[in-house]
Amino acid sequence: MLADAATASGGTRTATPQATAQITGAELAAVVAVPAAVPVGALPPVVPTGFTARCTRALLSPWSRLSLLLVLLAGAASTVLLFHPQRLLSDGWPPQLGGAMAALVFAAAYGLCSVAFVPRPLLNLAAGALFGSQLGTASALAGTVLGAAISFGLGRVLGQDALRPLLRGRWLKAADGQLSRHGFRSMMAARLFPGLPFWGVNYCAAVSRMRWMPFLLATALGSLPNTAAYVVAGARASSPTSPAFLIAMACIALPALGGAVVAWRKRHHLRGV
């Protein structure tokens, strides 16, 4: 009552310490604006600038990597033309190697040569002539899987990003969808079907979204019959009238004939795609 009377008589009001503290806190809150915490993921990425950064982005672009792939393949093919790997059939393997070690080295050379577009039938015949049926089949099959893995890895790392936007035709889209959804089954059929180029199937699978393990497993299983037939034919080439050689030639000829018949019967369907 006395305070009210004093206020009414004097016309002024004395602020209490609690009111002063409240006013001071409100004023400070209004003046000092505390920014809200921003999540780290919401911040825009920092793009490096400068000549070095631009050169790095240009070198790592999809088309630069595709150009590097083409240069590597052209260099590999040129190297094969210069060194003539078909001389293995006549000259044989270097004499300082023998047995399993020679077969391992041959498998590595097989893989590299298959990446460089050397025909696999020639390499399979060489494996049979050099190591016989059993060791030759194991070495040739290991080289087949190794070459397929190298081609698949090169195509996936250097060519996929540049080539996938070009898959616009109906055939290309159908092949890409088949390989991406049914990778193992499609690759098994491609390996068993004669006439399809080994390197072409590898790079088509690399451009698709097919996974590594189905690709390698289907390559090993699907390539085994044809590889073994050629290896046995190469091992028995000195006796062309032997039953093993005749059976091997039949295993080579019959799938090729069956593939030709299937392609002839499906020609109208392929034209309509």
Side-chain angles (χ1 to χ4, degrees):
M1 296 294 293
L2 294 175
D4 293 339
T7 302
S9 61
T12 58
R13 178 179 294 181
T14 303
T16 62
Q18 291 82 2
T20 304
Q22 292 178 358
I23 295 174
T24 305
E27 291 177 352
L28 289 177
V31 173
V32 181
V34 180
V38 180
V40 177
L43 295 175
V46 179
V47 180
T49 59
F51 178 76
T52 304
R54 290 196 298 271
C55 291
T56 303
R57 289 196 298 269
L59 291 175
L60 297 179
S61 65
W63 288 104
S64 297
R65 285 180 286 161
L66 180 61
S67 301
L68 176 60
L69 175 62
L70 296 177
V71 169
L72 291 175
L73 295 179
S78 302
T79 303
V80 166
L81 293 177
L82 292 176
F83 284 95
H84 302 289
Q86 62 269 20
R87 290 183 300 179
L88 289 174
L89 290 175
S90 58
D91 300 341
W93 201 247
Q96 61 268 21
L97 295 177
M101 181 58 65
L104 289 175
V105 176
F106 180 85
Y110 186 116
L112 296 176
C113 289
S114 64
V115 175
F117 311 111
V118 176
R120 286 184 59 249
L122 176 65
L123 298 172
N124 293 331
L125 291 173
L130 293 173
F131 305 109
S133 299
Q134 297 181 358
L135 187 58
T137 300
S139 179
L141 188 62
T144 297
V145 176
L146 176 62
I150 295 174
S151 299
F152 188 85
L154 288 175
R156 179 61 56 90
V157 174
L158 299 178
Q160 187 187 45
D161 293 339
L163 294 178
R164 279 202 65 83
L166 303 179
L167 300 178
R168 298 177 181 177
R170 297 178 63 184
W171 278 32
L172 295 177
K173 288 183 177 180
D176 175 65
Q178 187 70 19
L179 288 172
S180 300
R181 292 191 300 270
H182 311 288
F184 180 82
R185 183 175 65 189
S186 302
M187 190 53 54
M188 277 287 293
R191 298 307 187 192
L192 292 172
F193 191 84
L196 295 178
F198 180 73
W199 59 270
V201 174
N202 294 336
Y203 290 114
C204 287
V207 174
S208 71
R209 301 191 186 279
M210 188 176 182
R211 297 190 303 273
W212 276 89
M213 287 307 298
F215 171 78
L216 296 178
L217 185 60
T219 296
L221 296 178
S223 301
L224 179 59
N226 184 266
T227 301
Y230 274 101
V231 171
V232 172
R236 303 289 181 171
S238 58
S239 56
T241 58
S242 63
F245 181 83
L246 295 177
I247 292 174
M249 294 305 297
C251 292
I252 294 172
L254 290 178
L257 180 61
V261 171
V262 171
W264 176 260
R265 294 183 63 180
K266 296 292 185 180
R267 68 188 188 281
H268 300 294
H269 176 70
L270 294 176
R271 290 175 183 173
V273 175

